[in-house]
Amino acid sequence: MIANDALGGIWRMAGLPEDALTCVQLSGADPVLPSSFAVGAAAQSTIAAAALAACELGHVRGAPRQQVAVDMLHAALECTGWFSIDGRVPELWDAFSGLYRASDGWVRIHANFAHHRAGALRLLGLDPGTAQRADAEAAMQSWKAQDFEDAAAAQGLVATALRRFDEWDATPQGQALAGQPLFTIDRIGDAPPLALPPLAADARPLAGVRVLDLTRILAGPVGGRALAAYGADVMLVNSPDLPNIEAVADTSRGKLSTHIDLRSEAGRDALGRLLKDAHVFIQGYRPGGIAALGFGPDAAARARPGIVHVSLTAYGTQGPWASRRGFDSLVQTAMGFNHAEGEAAGGGKPRPLPMQILDEATGYLIALGASAAMCRQQREGGSWHVQVSLAQTGQWLRGLGRLPDGLKIAVPDKTPFLETSHSGFGELTGLSHSARLSRTPAAWPRPSMPPGSHPPVWP
């Protein structure tokens, strides 16, 4: 079974005890969503790994191991990220986001943030205040796809040319990525084991663990939400001056949420105070970005010996694209997934995967890595650095193989897996968590709240 093998590989890479795998039960088989890729196995294995690792930390803290069950259909639907607010399903894509025909191929533009949209339109020679989608489509046809990608990257914009798998493999970035593992967990300093409060018999396995979540777009927030589901106190830290996306309502379930301006001395002081009592620090800045603000892995380990620092990037830390901005949809396009899915569908028109599985799976790998590193920290001390990237997850997904008839399956009904709760955004309906813990069920007792709703202090 693909998912069982994938879970075993993830588990061993994390250095976790083999006998814990007897506590997990996976049900279902691909295809569960229309795709020629094993997206169900990717969702199920990463969610199971995250939940089982949290339970293993609970075991390290003295609790008995417990069973973890994950159904593939439930896991895959959870990774679609569907939600509604007061019955309204938000439109998560800007009108200018998506694929455009260039003179020699296709380009995908990510325009969900206003400054990215305006920059792409100016690059196309258009006025952001008056341009329509049709204007952008017409303007793109005068560009070569690779030229637009290069010009956009030079201006810090987010756009990429469509490639086949073999074309991606031939790029310097593809070659750099090929030699990288799915994720890394490295010891970066010496420290005694951090004290954790005693774990009550009925407490979720991460109770008392404090997590700083300095991320905004899907993968990082999904990772923080998973840790919250297993009992951690997760503090989402956003800048008061940066835009967010509506998905923050869904990904903030179970979290505290504060505003801190890291460009100010007062903001850096506030984050420093939070860090001194934190166990995990998750950040999704471009490589070097958080270090420039004084909170890179080494600096964090000096300020808080024993910290687990988790770094998320788009294309990994090696190769010429290491510092390039990227989102799931762009990484899918650059690496060859959209082309391959379109070929499998017939007709050849590029086709996205049925969900942002690179974001979602990477999010659960963040949660896995955080718990696995904390297990090591509790056993042997030290400060730890976990590194993940969307492109490394993409490389792994590709390695799970293809499903010849996967696109023939109908989109399943998500209704049995929905749950509704009150939130600071309104009545929030979303997918329930698919990992079922036998003794201490996953839950989000804290309601989802808008960014900045809480003061920057631990409860």
Side-chain angles (χ1 to χ4, degrees), residues 388-399:
V388 298
S389 80
L390 302 184
Q392 285 163 274
T393 300
Q395 191 84 352
W396 169 79
L397 172 62
R398 182 176 163 189

Side-chain angles (χ1 to χ4, degrees), residues 309-332:
H309 194 287
V310 185
S311 296
L312 163 69
T313 58
Y315 293 102
T317 59
Q318 301 175 30
W321 285 23
S323 62
R324 187 169 290 194
R325 290 180 173 88
F327 298 101
D328 181 304
S329 58
L330 298 177
V331 179
Q332 284 188 34

Side-chain angles (χ1 to χ4, degrees), residues 60-87:
V60 169
R61 298 172 68 185
R65 284 186 171 134
Q66 58 179 310
Q67 295 294 312
V68 174
V70 184
D71 175 71
M72 184 180 290
L73 175 58
H74 190 174
L77 287 171
E78 184 178 6
C79 287
T80 64
W82 184 94
F83 72 99
S84 68
I85 299 291
D86 293 330

Side-chain angles (χ1 to χ4, degrees), residues 82-168:
W82 184 94
F83 72 99
S84 68
I85 299 291
D86 293 330
R88 177 184 66 89
V89 179
E91 176 53 62
L92 299 181
W93 293 103
D94 183 83
F96 286 93
S97 290
L99 283 166
Y100 291 77
R101 280 193 178 276
S103 64
D104 61 346
W106 295 84
V107 170
R108 182 178 292 279
I109 292 176
H110 193 285
N112 283 11
F113 288 132
H115 62 294
H116 289 157
R117 177 176 63 246
L121 291 172
R122 291 191 186 99
L123 185 58
L124 288 168
L126 301 173
D127 180 351
T130 59
Q132 301 297 312
R133 171 76 188 226
D135 301 326
E137 291 173 347
M140 184 65 77
Q141 292 184 30
S142 67
W143 283 82
K144 290 185 177 180
Q146 184 70 57
D147 290 347
F148 190 85
E149 176 185 87
D150 291 342
Q155 295 188 23
L157 303 175
V158 278
T160 190
L162 179 85
R163 291 175 176 80
R164 303 187 308 266
F165 281 138
D166 63 312
E167 291 174 329
W168 170 257

Side-chain angles (χ1 to χ4, degrees), residues 229-251:
Y230 310 138
D233 289 315
V234 179
M235 176 79 75
L236 178 65
V237 179
N238 278 176
S239 166
D241 299 321
L242 290 177
N244 226 304
I245 59 175
E246 284 201 88
V248 71
D250 178 51
T251 59

